[in-house]
Amino acid sequence: MARYTGPVCRLCRREGVKLMLKGERCMTPKCAFENRQETPGVHGAKRQRKLSDYGTQLREKQKARRIYGVLEKQFRKHYDEARRQTGATGERLLQILELRMDNLIYRMGFADSRKQARQLVRHGHFAINGHKTDIPSYIAKIGDTVTLVERSKEKTYFKVVADSIGKHDAPSWLTLDAKGLTGRVVRLPEHAEIDSLLETNLIVEYYSR
């Protein structure tokens, strides 16, 4: 499966904002973005020209892709699904992205970043409604329950997680059983509850050209 393997701090510099791609490290002085914020490339330090409307829309779409770690083909698929559903397309797109399996693992506190969560899912550490899945792009529904598979509870990593997950502040649209290491989707997330840097109207405008 295709994926970005380059330096993730470069992506933050390209978008001119912290995308929180390294989890808690992004909140420490070790964050590379703090000391080097110019756009990547030979001419990155030079003053950037003003973006056109198309350029602004493109950058917002790219920012969304990079925050959630989704490549273009899959991102467009999520957008098309959001457009087919009732309600505001931009809000539905955010909900679909938030309900991805890898994002759920990240939101529940099993991983420090979506990239790490994606790896944990691919290694088969989690089950949805009792059925093990290794598909990070699986879209959960209201009422779905995510559990850590039994064999994974003995791994050192998850023993450490078990000691700290009780302090994790999961979003209100999820319930988290820290003792049982399970989580459940109780409702759809609202736009205001998603700590997103995104202006989804620009993404809709980009794909509506």
Side-chain angles (χ1 to χ4, degrees):
M1 180 180 290
R3 59 191 177 93
Y4 176 77
T5 58
V8 295
C9 292
R10 183 184 178 92
L11 302 182
C12 297
R13 289 168 51 211
R14 180 63 187 90
E15 303 306 333
V17 66
K18 282 189 181 184
L19 303 179
M20 305 303 292
L21 301 179
K22 287 188 175 180
E24 292 185 3
R25 183 186 176 90
C26 297
M27 303 302 294
T28 70
K30 294 182 179 180
C31 176
F33 182 77
E34 293 289 348
N35 302 314
R36 191 182 180 190
Q37 298 184 14
E38 73 272 10
T39 303
V42 177
H43 306 291
K46 295 184 178 180
R47 184 171 63 87
Q48 288 187 328
R49 62 185 180 184
K50 184 178 179 180
L51 289 175
S52 64
D53 289 343
Y54 170 79
T56 302
Q57 295 160 4
L58 174 63
R59 293 267 53 88
E60 203 65 18
K61 187 264 295 184
Q62 294 294 80
K63 188 193 302 181
R65 283 188 45 231
R66 288 164 175 173
I67 288 174
Y68 287 97
V70 180
L71 296 180
E72 177 60 33
K73 184 177 181 180
Q74 196 165 52
F75 190 85
R76 181 58 192 258
K77 180 180 178 182
H78 290 329
Y79 173 81
D80 289 340
E81 176 61 27
R83 189 179 58 179
R84 287 192 292 268
Q85 298 180 11
T86 58
T89 300
E91 183 171 350
R92 293 297 297 136
L93 174 61
L94 274 185
Q95 289 173 341
I96 290 172
L97 292 169
E98 285 290 310
L99 291 171
R100 282 172 55 99
M101 187 68 176
D102 51 3
N103 186 74
L104 290 180
I105 299 306
Y106 166 67
R107 292 295 191 194
M108 290 176 184
F110 287 106
D112 291 331
S113 66
R114 292 181 178 89
K115 182 178 181 180
Q116 183 184 28
R118 194 154 44 251
Q119 184 179 39
L120 293 175
V121 173
R122 283 181 179 149
H123 288 181
H125 292 299
F126 295 94
I128 190 89
N129 298 329
H131 300 284
K132 189 173 76 171
T133 181
D134 59 0
I135 305 174
S137 61
Y138 175 86
I139 306 299
K141 300 179 289 295
I142 296 175
D144 281 355
T145 300
V146 177
T147 57
L148 181 66
V149 299
E150 199 63 33
R151 65 174 178 80
S152 297
K153 293 180 179 179
E154 300 303 316
K155 295 189 175 295
T156 303
Y157 173 81
F158 289 108
K159 288 182 179 180
V160 174
V161 169
D163 293 334
S164 62
I165 200 170
K167 302 175 184 177
H168 180 72
D169 187 17
S172 57
W173 50 275
L174 295 172
T175 58
L176 178 62
D177 179 2
K179 186 176 181 180
L181 295 178
T182 64
R184 186 169 180 267
V185 180
V186 293
R187 59 179 175 81
L188 294 177
E190 298 178 5
H191 198 155
E193 296 176 309
I194 302 173
D195 54 344
S196 174
L197 306 170
L198 302 172
E199 296 182 46
T200 54
N201 60 303
L202 295 177
I203 300 174
V204 175
E205 291 170 6
Y206 173 84
Y207 282 119
S208 300
R209 296 186 331 276

